[in-house]
Amino acid sequence: ILNAFTTVNKQTILGTWNFKGSAFVFESENALANLGSDAIASQVEAKVDKYLAKLNVKESMCTITFNEDNTCMFTAGKKTLNGTYEFNAETKELKLTYAGLLSTTAFLIYDAGTINIVYQSDGLLRILKAIGSMSNNGTLALLNTLLDQYDGLRIGMAFAK
């Protein structure tokens, strides 16, 4: 549940983080109940990880780096997005702006040495589309269809150092 996680500060997020898998955070207990069960959540996670892998968003191929000067870099396969970030530790909001082309706000949740950068489903899809030529429109369409089925679910990526 979104508010149940430890708040992280800017110093904690500095450095390079390696992709671990998809991340899910429920906005409320109602959203968790609406999804149904852990078994359904596991099925959704497996499907999302499969789609992300087709876009080179998978372990050992995807990283995000946060620098002290508020610059950041997202890499998936051979594609890189350079940008800037603003992090508000109180609200857990992480605003990412890449190359002036894309600006999106996510929530950054820290839990047991892992950062989870989670969005409403359209925010994640916008970042994947911005990666450009590595994007497979069919894969993005399928991922969008899957994610639209779940209200109150924030989806994103989990990273560890």
Side-chain angles (χ1 to χ4, degrees):
I1 313 235
L2 187 59
N3 291 322
F5 293 93
T6 305
T7 301
V8 62
N9 63 41
K10 181 179 174 180
Q11 292 303 313
T12 307
I13 68 171
L14 294 177
T16 298
W17 296 81
N18 301 301
F19 180 77
K20 283 180 48 176
S22 56
F24 300 88
V25 177
F26 299 97
E27 291 177 356
S28 69
E29 290 184 30
N30 284 343
L32 180 58
N34 289 340
L35 187 58
S37 71
D38 289 340
I40 293 172
S42 295
Q43 290 175 4
V44 173
E45 181 177 2
K47 288 179 184 177
V48 170
D49 283 342
K50 178 179 139 186
Y51 294 133
L52 291 176
K54 289 180 180 182
L55 301 169
N56 286 326
V57 178
K58 55 187 172 183
E59 286 187 57
S60 77
M61 298 211 45
C62 180
T63 61
I64 191 164
T65 301
F66 296 101
N67 299 310
E68 179 74 38
D69 65 356
N70 284 29
T71 58
C72 61
M73 181 173 60
F74 178 81
T75 302
K78 295 180 181 179
K79 300 293 180 179
T80 298
L81 292 174
N82 291 302
T84 59
Y85 72 96
E86 296 173 32
F87 179 63
N88 182 324
E90 186 175 316
T91 64
K92 303 175 190 174
E93 289 182 332
L94 176 68
K95 182 177 181 184
L96 299 165
T97 304
Y98 291 105
L101 302 173
L102 168 72
S103 181
T104 186
T105 300
F107 283 90
L108 191 144
I109 310 299
Y110 180 79
D111 184 40
T114 299
I115 59 170
N116 298 289
I117 302 172
V118 294
Y119 307 85
Q120 297 289 0
S121 63
D122 62 335
L124 176 61
L125 293 168
R126 283 190 294 159
I127 285 183
L128 296 175
K129 285 178 186 175
I131 293 171
S133 64
M134 75 175 226
S135 295
N136 176 323
N137 288 337
T139 298
L140 289 175
L142 288 170
L143 184 56
N144 187 46
T145 299
L146 174 69
L147 298 179
D148 279 347
Q149 297 175 32
Y150 301 100
D151 270 345
L153 176 66
R154 291 188 183 265
I155 177 112
M157 298 171 276
F159 295 87
K161 282 192 176 178

